[in-house]
Amino acid sequence: MSDNPPPPPPRGGAGSGGWSERMSDNRIEGYARGLFEIARAEGTLDEVEDELFRFARSFESSDALRTALSDEQIPPAKRQAIIEDLLGGKATSTTTQLISMVVGSGRTRDLPAIVDLLVARASSAKHQEVAEVRTAVALTADQQTRLAAALVNATGKQVNLKVVVDPSVLGGIVATVGDTVIDGSVRTRIDQLKSRL
Amino acid sequence: MNVLGIIATAGRLMSEEIVTDSNGDVTTHHWLLPETAEIIYGGLASLIIFYALFKFGGPLVKKSFAARTEKIQKELDAAAADKSAAATEAAGIRAAKGDIAAERARLLSDAETQAAAVLEDGRARLAVEVADVEAKAVTDIASAQGRVGDELRAEIARLSAAAVDHVVTGSLDDATQQELIENFIARVGASA
C-alpha cells in the first residue's frame, strides 16, 4: 500500500525503553493508524490532521486543559463533554469525535504522541515532511504559503506546514523540519544575550 | 687468819675448860672473841663452804663471766657492725645526696633544654600559623572580592536580562512582529 508508508517514530525517542514502553508505543501507533484511517475514510484527512495538531499543541501548553482531560477522577463522559464544549463549532465533527474517543479510552496523556504520529503518517502519505512552525502571532495565509515555499527551498523537501501560535516565542519564527531547526525567534536571541551577559 | 692458825686456835679451844660466873652461868672467856671450839668449827665450816664455793661455784662464775664477756664481745661486735653499716649507709646517703644533686642538676638542665625546644618549636609553629592565617586571609579576601565581583556581575546580568526582556517585549508591536516574520521568511528562502 503506497498510501500507508511506515510512519517515523514519534517525538521523544520512541522504541528506546522497556517492554511497557514498547507496548505503549505500539498502542500509540495503533491509535494513530486508526485515526488516520478514519480521517482518510471520511475524506477530511487534511482538515482533521490540522485540527488535531492544533489541539495537541494546545493540550501540551495548557496545564488546566491537560489536568482536566487527564484526571481519572472525572468520568470519561464528562471529559468528553468538555471536549464537545471546547471544539463544538470550531472543528469538524470527525476531529471532535476522534479526540473524544481517545479521551474516552483513557489514552489522554498519549494524545500529543498519537496526533504527532498521525500527522507524520499523513505527511508521509503525501511524501511530505512535517514542518512545525512556532510563532508569537498568527501567520496569514500568504505568509504561510511563502514560508512553506521558503522551507521547501531551504530543506529541499516537500513540507506539511503546521503553525503553532506560541507566545513564549515572543517574536519571529522557529521552524522544525525533521531534525532541522531554523530558529529566528526573539526568545532565542534574548536567551543568547542573557547567556553572554 | 690462815688455816694453820685456825687449826691451832681450834686445838687450843678444845683444850679450854668451860668458864662459869658467880651465878654458875656459863660465860665466854672473852668479851669479844668466841669460844675456841666455835672458832674451830666455824673456821672448818667456812673452809668447807669456801672450798665448795670454789669447787662448784667457780666454774659457774667463770662460765658466767665468760658468757658475759662473750655477750659483751658480741655486743661490741654488733655495735662495730652497726657502726660499719651506719657508716656504709651514711656513705650511701652521702653518695645518694650527691646523686640527687646531680640528678637535680640534670633534670634542671633537661627542663631548660626542653623548655627552650618547646619555646623554639612554639615560635616556629606560631610563625607558620601566622603565615598560614595571613595566606588564608589573603585568599579569603581575594575570594570574597571575586565572589562579590561575581555576584555583582550576576546581579547586573540578571537586571540586564530583565531589562532586555522588558524592553524587547515592550517593543514588539504588530509591525515589529510582521517585520520579524517577513525577515525570517526572506532569510530562509534565500538560504537554499
Side-chain angles (χ1 to χ4, degrees):
Chain A
M1 288 176 65
S2 60
D3 286 348
N4 286 327
R11 294 186 292 189
S16 60
W19 179 84
S20 62
E21 193 172 340
R22 285 197 301 275
M23 192 67 179
S24 178
D25 291 343
N26 289 336
R27 285 177 180 168
I28 289 169
E29 190 176 338
Y31 273 94
R33 189 168 57 245
L35 297 186
F36 172 80
E37 294 298 343
I38 290 170
R40 191 169 66 170
E42 291 287 331
T44 56
L45 180 58
D46 291 345
E47 196 173 2
V48 169
E49 169 206 351
D50 192 57
E51 289 169 354
L52 286 174
F53 185 84
R54 291 170 190 274
F55 184 82
R57 299 291 81 81
S58 299
F59 178 83
E60 283 180 329
S61 61
S62 172
D63 290 339
L65 180 61
R66 198 165 55 249
T67 302
L69 295 184
S70 305
D71 191 351
E72 300 292 340
Q73 304 299 321
I74 301 174
K78 194 167 184 179
R79 283 183 275 161
Q80 288 170 328
I82 293 172
I83 294 167
E84 295 284 346
D85 290 342
L86 281 174
L87 299 179
K90 299 175 185 173
T92 61
S93 60
T94 304
T95 301
T96 307
Q97 288 170 4
L98 290 177
I99 294 172
S100 294
M101 183 191 76
V102 173
V103 171
S105 61
R107 312 299 301 180
T108 309
R109 288 191 176 84
D110 296 330
L111 182 61
I114 292 169
V115 171
D116 287 341
L117 266 181
L118 182 148
V119 172
R121 179 178 288 272
S123 299
S124 294
K126 292 183 285 188
H127 304 288
Q128 292 177 334
E129 187 92 17
V130 177
E132 184 180 304
V133 173
R134 289 181 176 271
T135 63
V137 296
L139 298 181
T140 64
D142 176 57
Q143 284 173 331
Q144 290 190 29
T145 303
R146 286 188 288 116
L147 179 58
L151 290 173
V152 169
N153 194 32
T155 61
K157 300 173 184 175
Q158 293 300 314
V159 296
N160 180 9
L161 198 66
K162 298 296 178 190
V163 179
V164 179
V165 176
D166 184 358
S168 69
V169 174
L170 293 181
I173 295 174
V174 180
T176 305
V177 183
D179 295 332
T180 304
V181 178
I182 305 170
D183 195 338
S185 68
V186 173
R187 176 79 272 160
T188 301
R189 291 182 189 176
I190 288 177
D191 288 343
Q192 289 172 346
L193 180 60
K194 286 180 179 176
S195 178
R196 279 203 297 274
L197 285 173
Chain B
M1 179 179 299
N2 57 23
V3 175
L4 292 178
I6 294 171
I7 292 172
T9 304
R12 192 174 59 247
L13 290 175
M14 288 177 66
S15 63
E16 290 179 354
E17 292 180 358
I18 297 172
V19 179
T20 57
D21 58 10
S22 56
N23 295 326
D25 296 330
V26 178
T27 61
T28 58
H29 69 283
H30 195 270
W31 60 274
L32 178 61
L33 296 174
E35 297 299 329
T36 303
E38 288 179 357
I39 292 172
I40 291 170
Y41 298 147
L44 286 176
S46 297
L47 286 174
I48 291 168
I49 289 170
F50 286 145
Y51 177 77
L53 287 173
F54 182 78
K55 180 69 176 179
F56 300 107
L60 292 176
V61 172
K62 283 183 180 177
K63 190 177 179 181
S64 172
F65 279 136
R68 185 167 177 271
T69 303
E70 188 179 0
K71 182 182 174 188
I72 291 169
Q73 186 61 45
K74 281 183 180 177
E75 288 177 355
L76 287 174
D77 291 343
D82 289 344
K83 181 182 178 184
S84 176
T88 303
E89 190 172 355
I93 290 172
R94 279 192 291 274
K97 184 182 176 185
D99 289 346
I100 288 170
E103 183 72 10
R104 177 172 168 271
R106 190 184 65 77
L107 289 174
L108 286 174
S109 175
D110 286 351
E112 286 178 359
T113 304
Q114 288 181 1
V118 168
L119 191 61
E120 187 64 27
D121 184 54
R123 284 175 180 160
R125 197 167 55 245
L126 193 61
V128 171
E129 288 178 359
V130 167
D132 287 347
V133 169
E134 285 179 353
K136 187 174 181 302
V138 169
T139 305
D140 288 346
I141 289 169
S143 174
Q145 285 176 340
R147 192 167 58 250
V148 169
D150 290 345
E151 289 173 356
L152 193 59
R153 279 191 288 275
E155 185 63 14
I156 291 171
R158 190 185 65 77
L159 292 173
S160 301
V164 167
D165 267 346
H166 183 71
V167 170
V168 171
T169 307
S171 66
L172 287 174
D173 54 11
D174 287 342
T176 307
Q177 292 282 10
Q178 294 304 318
E179 184 181 351
L180 287 169
I181 290 168
E182 292 300 332
N183 287 342
F184 182 85
I185 294 171
R187 183 164 58 83
V188 172
S191 64

Coordinates of all heavy atoms in Angstrom, one line a residue, chain A residues 136-139 143 146-147 150-151 153-154 170-173 175 182-184 186-187 189-190 193-194 197, chain B residues 153 156-157 160-162 164-165 168-169 172 174 177-178 180-182 184-192:
Chain A
A136 N 4.9 33.9 17.5 CA 4.2 34.6 18.6 C 2.8 35.1 18.2 O 1.9 35.2 19.0 CB 5.1 35.7 19.0
V137 N 2.7 35.3 16.9 CA 1.4 35.8 16.3 C 1.0 34.9 15.2 O 1.9 34.2 14.6 CB 1.5 37.3 15.9 CG1 1.8 38.2 17.1 CG2 2.5 37.4 14.8
A138 N -0.3 34.9 14.9 CA -0.8 34.0 13.8 C -0.2 34.5 12.5 O 0.0 35.7 12.2 CB -2.3 34.0 13.8
L139 N 0.0 33.5 11.6 CA 0.5 33.9 10.2 C -0.7 34.0 9.3 O -1.7 33.2 9.4 CB 1.5 32.8 9.7 CG 2.8 32.6 10.5 CD1 3.6 31.5 9.9 CD2 3.6 33.8 10.6
Q143 N 1.5 34.5 4.2 CA 2.8 34.2 4.9 C 3.0 32.7 5.0 O 4.2 32.3 4.9 CB 2.7 34.9 6.3 CG 2.9 36.4 6.3 CD 2.7 37.0 7.6 OE1 1.9 36.5 8.5 NE2 3.3 38.1 7.9
R146 N 4.2 31.5 1.6 CA 5.6 31.9 1.3 C 6.6 31.2 2.3 O 7.7 30.8 1.9 CB 5.7 33.4 1.5 CG 5.1 34.1 0.3 CD 5.4 35.6 0.3 NE 4.6 36.3 1.3 CZ 5.2 37.0 2.3 NH1 6.5 37.0 2.5 NH2 4.5 37.6 3.3
L147 N 6.2 31.0 3.5 CA 7.1 30.3 4.5 C 7.3 28.8 4.0 O 8.4 28.3 4.1 CB 6.5 30.4 5.9 CG 7.3 29.7 7.0 CD1 8.7 30.2 7.1 CD2 6.6 29.8 8.3
A150 N 9.6 28.8 1.2 CA 11.0 29.1 1.7 C 11.6 27.9 2.4 O 12.7 27.5 2.2 CB 10.9 30.3 2.7
L151 N 10.7 27.1 3.2 CA 11.2 25.9 3.8 C 11.6 24.8 2.8 O 12.5 24.1 3.0 CB 10.2 25.4 4.8 CG 10.1 26.3 6.1 CD1 8.9 25.8 7.0 CD2 11.4 26.3 6.9
N153 N 12.5 25.4 -0.2 CA 13.7 25.9 -0.8 C 14.9 25.6 0.1 O 16.0 25.2 -0.4 CB 13.6 27.4 -1.1 CG 14.6 27.8 -2.1 OD1 15.1 27.1 -2.9 ND2 15.1 29.1 -1.9
A154 N 14.7 25.8 1.4 CA 15.9 25.6 2.3 C 16.2 24.2 2.6 O 17.4 23.9 2.7 CB 15.5 26.4 3.6
L170 N 7.9 34.9 21.7 CA 7.9 36.4 21.8 C 7.9 37.1 20.5 O 7.1 38.0 20.3 CB 9.2 36.9 22.5 CG 9.4 36.5 24.0 CD1 10.7 37.0 24.5 CD2 8.2 37.0 24.8
G171 N 8.7 36.7 19.5 CA 8.6 37.3 18.2 C 9.4 36.4 17.2 O 10.2 35.6 17.6
G172 N 9.2 36.6 15.9 CA 10.0 35.8 14.9 C 9.3 34.4 14.8 O 8.2 34.2 15.2
I173 N 10.1 33.5 14.3 CA 9.6 32.1 14.0 C 10.7 31.1 14.3 O 11.9 31.3 14.2 CB 9.3 32.0 12.4 CG1 8.2 33.0 12.1 CG2 9.0 30.6 12.1 CD1 7.9 33.0 10.6
A175 N 11.2 27.2 13.1 CA 10.7 26.2 12.2 C 11.5 24.9 12.4 O 12.7 24.9 12.5 CB 10.8 26.7 10.7
I182 N 15.3 25.7 12.4 CA 15.7 27.0 12.0 C 15.1 28.0 13.0 O 13.8 28.2 13.0 CB 15.2 27.3 10.6 CG1 15.7 26.2 9.6 CG2 15.7 28.7 10.1 CD1 15.1 26.3 8.2
D183 N 15.9 28.6 13.8 CA 15.4 29.4 14.9 C 15.7 30.9 14.6 O 16.8 31.3 14.7 CB 16.1 29.0 16.2 CG 15.4 29.5 17.4 OD1 14.7 30.5 17.3 OD2 15.6 28.9 18.5
G184 N 14.6 31.6 14.4 CA 14.7 33.0 14.2 C 13.8 33.7 15.2 O 13.3 34.8 15.0
V186 N 12.8 35.7 18.8 CA 13.3 36.7 19.7 C 13.7 36.1 21.0 O 14.6 36.4 21.7 CB 12.2 37.8 19.9 CG1 12.7 38.8 21.0 CG2 12.0 38.5 18.6
R187 N 12.9 35.0 21.4 CA 13.2 34.3 22.6 C 14.6 33.8 22.7 O 15.4 33.9 23.6 CB 12.2 33.1 22.8 CG 12.4 32.2 24.0 CD 11.9 32.9 25.2 NE 12.8 33.7 25.9 CZ 12.5 34.6 26.8 NH1 11.3 34.9 27.1 NH2 13.4 35.3 27.4
R189 N 17.1 34.7 20.8 CA 18.1 35.8 20.8 C 18.3 36.4 22.2 O 19.4 36.7 22.6 CB 17.7 36.9 19.8 CG 17.8 36.4 18.4 CD 17.4 37.5 17.4 NE 17.3 37.0 16.0 CZ 16.8 37.8 15.0 NH1 16.5 39.0 15.2 NH2 16.7 37.3 13.8
I190 N 17.2 36.6 22.9 CA 17.3 37.1 24.2 C 18.0 36.1 25.1 O 18.9 36.5 26.0 CB 15.9 37.4 24.8 CG1 15.3 38.6 24.1 CG2 15.9 37.6 26.3 CD1 13.8 38.9 24.5
L193 N 21.6 36.5 24.4 CA 22.1 37.7 25.0 C 22.3 37.5 26.5 O 23.3 38.0 27.1 CB 21.1 38.8 24.7 CG 21.5 40.2 25.3 CD1 22.8 40.6 24.7 CD2 20.4 41.2 25.0
K194 N 21.3 36.9 27.2 CA 21.4 36.6 28.6 C 22.6 35.7 28.9 O 23.3 36.0 29.9 CB 20.1 35.9 29.1 CG 19.0 36.9 29.2 CD 17.8 36.1 29.8 CE 16.5 37.0 29.9 NZ 15.3 36.2 30.3
L197 N 25.6 37.8 28.8 CA 25.7 38.7 30.0 C 26.2 37.9 31.2 O 26.9 38.4 32.0 CB 24.3 39.3 30.2 CG 23.8 40.4 29.3 CD1 22.4 40.8 29.6 CD2 24.7 41.6 29.5
Chain B
R153 N 28.4 40.9 39.1 CA 28.2 40.6 37.6 C 26.9 39.9 37.4 O 26.1 40.2 36.5 CB 29.4 39.9 37.1 CG 30.6 40.7 36.8 CD 31.6 39.9 36.0 NE 32.3 39.0 36.9 CZ 33.3 39.3 37.6 NH1 33.8 40.5 37.6 NH2 33.9 38.3 38.4
I156 N 24.1 42.2 37.8 CA 24.0 43.1 36.7 C 23.4 42.4 35.5 O 22.5 42.9 34.8 CB 25.4 43.7 36.3 CG1 25.9 44.7 37.4 CG2 25.4 44.3 34.9 CD1 27.3 45.1 37.2
A157 N 23.9 41.1 35.3 CA 23.4 40.3 34.2 C 21.9 40.0 34.4 O 21.1 40.1 33.4 CB 24.1 39.0 34.2
S160 N 20.1 43.2 33.7 CA 20.2 43.5 32.3 C 19.2 42.6 31.6 O 18.5 43.0 30.6 CB 21.6 43.3 31.8 OG 22.5 44.1 32.5
A161 N 19.2 41.3 32.0 CA 18.3 40.4 31.3 C 16.8 40.8 31.5 O 16.0 40.8 30.5 CB 18.5 38.9 31.8
A162 N 16.5 41.2 32.7 CA 15.2 41.6 33.0 C 14.9 42.9 32.2 O 13.7 43.0 31.6 CB 15.0 41.9 34.5
V164 N 16.3 43.7 29.4 CA 16.2 43.3 28.0 C 14.8 42.7 27.7 O 14.1 43.0 26.7 CB 17.3 42.2 27.6 CG1 16.9 41.6 26.3 CG2 18.6 42.9 27.5
D165 N 14.4 41.8 28.6 CA 13.0 41.2 28.5 C 12.0 42.3 28.4 O 11.1 42.3 27.5 CB 12.7 40.3 29.7 CG 13.1 38.9 29.4 OD1 13.3 38.5 28.2 OD2 13.2 38.1 30.4
V168 N 12.5 44.5 25.2 CA 12.2 43.8 23.9 C 10.7 43.5 23.9 O 10.0 43.7 22.8 CB 13.0 42.6 23.8 CG1 12.6 41.7 22.6 CG2 14.5 42.9 23.7
T169 N 10.2 43.0 24.9 CA 8.8 42.6 24.9 C 7.9 43.9 24.7 O 6.9 43.8 24.0 CB 8.4 42.0 26.3 OG1 9.3 40.9 26.6 CG2 7.0 41.5 26.3
L172 N 7.8 44.9 21.0 CA 7.3 44.0 20.0 C 5.8 44.3 19.6 O 4.9 43.6 20.0 CB 7.4 42.6 20.5 CG 8.9 42.0 20.5 CD1 8.9 40.6 21.1 CD2 9.4 41.9 19.1
D174 N 2.8 45.0 16.6 CA 2.4 44.2 15.4 C 3.3 44.4 14.3 O 3.7 43.5 13.6 CB 1.0 44.6 15.1 CG 0.0 44.0 16.1 OD1 0.4 43.1 16.8 OD2 -1.2 44.5 16.1
Q177 N 6.5 42.5 14.9 CA 6.2 41.1 14.7 C 6.2 40.7 13.2 O 6.8 39.7 12.8 CB 4.9 40.7 15.3 CG 4.9 40.8 16.9 CD 5.6 39.6 17.5 OE1 6.2 38.9 16.9 NE2 5.5 39.6 18.8
Q178 N 5.5 41.5 12.4 CA 5.4 41.2 11.0 C 6.7 41.4 10.3 O 7.1 40.6 9.4 CB 4.3 42.2 10.3 CG 2.9 41.9 10.8 CD 2.5 40.5 10.6 OE1 2.7 39.9 9.6 NE2 1.8 39.9 11.6
L180 N 9.6 40.9 11.7 CA 10.4 39.7 12.1 C 10.0 38.5 11.3 O 10.9 37.7 10.8 CB 10.2 39.4 13.6 CG 10.9 40.4 14.6 CD1 10.4 40.1 16.0 CD2 12.4 40.2 14.5
I181 N 8.7 38.3 11.1 CA 8.3 37.2 10.3 C 8.7 37.3 8.8 O 9.2 36.3 8.2 CB 6.7 37.1 10.4 CG1 6.3 36.6 11.8 CG2 6.2 36.1 9.4 CD1 4.8 36.8 12.1
E182 N 8.6 38.4 8.3 CA 9.0 38.6 6.9 C 10.5 38.4 6.7 O 10.9 37.8 5.8 CB 8.6 40.0 6.4 CG 7.0 40.2 6.3 CD 6.4 39.3 5.3 OE1 7.1 38.9 4.3 OE2 5.2 38.9 5.5
F184 N 12.3 36.6 8.5 CA 12.6 35.1 8.7 C 12.3 34.4 7.3 O 13.1 33.6 6.9 CB 11.8 34.5 9.8 CG 12.0 33.1 10.0 CD1 13.0 32.6 10.8 CD2 11.2 32.1 9.4 CE1 13.3 31.3 11.0 CE2 11.4 30.8 9.6 CZ 12.4 30.3 10.4
I185 N 11.2 34.7 6.8 CA 10.8 34.1 5.5 C 11.8 34.4 4.4 O 12.3 33.5 3.7 CB 9.4 34.5 5.1 CG1 8.3 34.0 6.1 CG2 9.1 34.0 3.7 CD1 6.9 34.5 5.9
A186 N 12.2 35.6 4.4 CA 13.2 36.1 3.4 C 14.5 35.4 3.6 O 15.2 34.9 2.6 CB 13.3 37.6 3.4
R187 N 14.9 35.3 4.8 CA 16.3 34.7 5.1 C 16.3 33.2 4.8 O 17.2 32.7 4.2 CB 16.6 35.0 6.6 CG 17.9 34.5 7.0 CD 18.4 35.1 8.3 NE 17.4 34.8 9.4 CZ 17.3 33.6 10.1 NH1 18.3 32.7 9.9 NH2 16.5 33.5 11.0
V188 N 15.2 32.5 5.3 CA 15.1 31.1 5.0 C 15.0 30.8 3.5 O 15.6 29.9 2.9 CB 13.9 30.5 5.7 CG1 13.7 29.0 5.3 CG2 14.1 30.6 7.2
G189 N 14.2 31.6 2.8 CA 14.0 31.4 1.4 C 15.3 31.7 0.6 O 15.6 31.0 -0.4
A190 N 16.2 32.5 1.2 CA 17.4 32.8 0.5 C 18.5 31.9 0.9 O 19.7 31.9 0.3 CB 17.9 34.2 0.8
S191 N 18.3 30.9 1.8 CA 19.3 30.0 2.3 C 19.3 28.7 1.6 O 19.5 27.7 2.3 CB 19.2 29.9 3.8 OG 18.0 29.2 4.1
A192 N 19.0 28.6 0.4 CA 19.0 27.3 -0.4 C 20.3 26.7 -0.4 O 21.3 27.4 -0.6 CB 18.4 27.5 -1.7

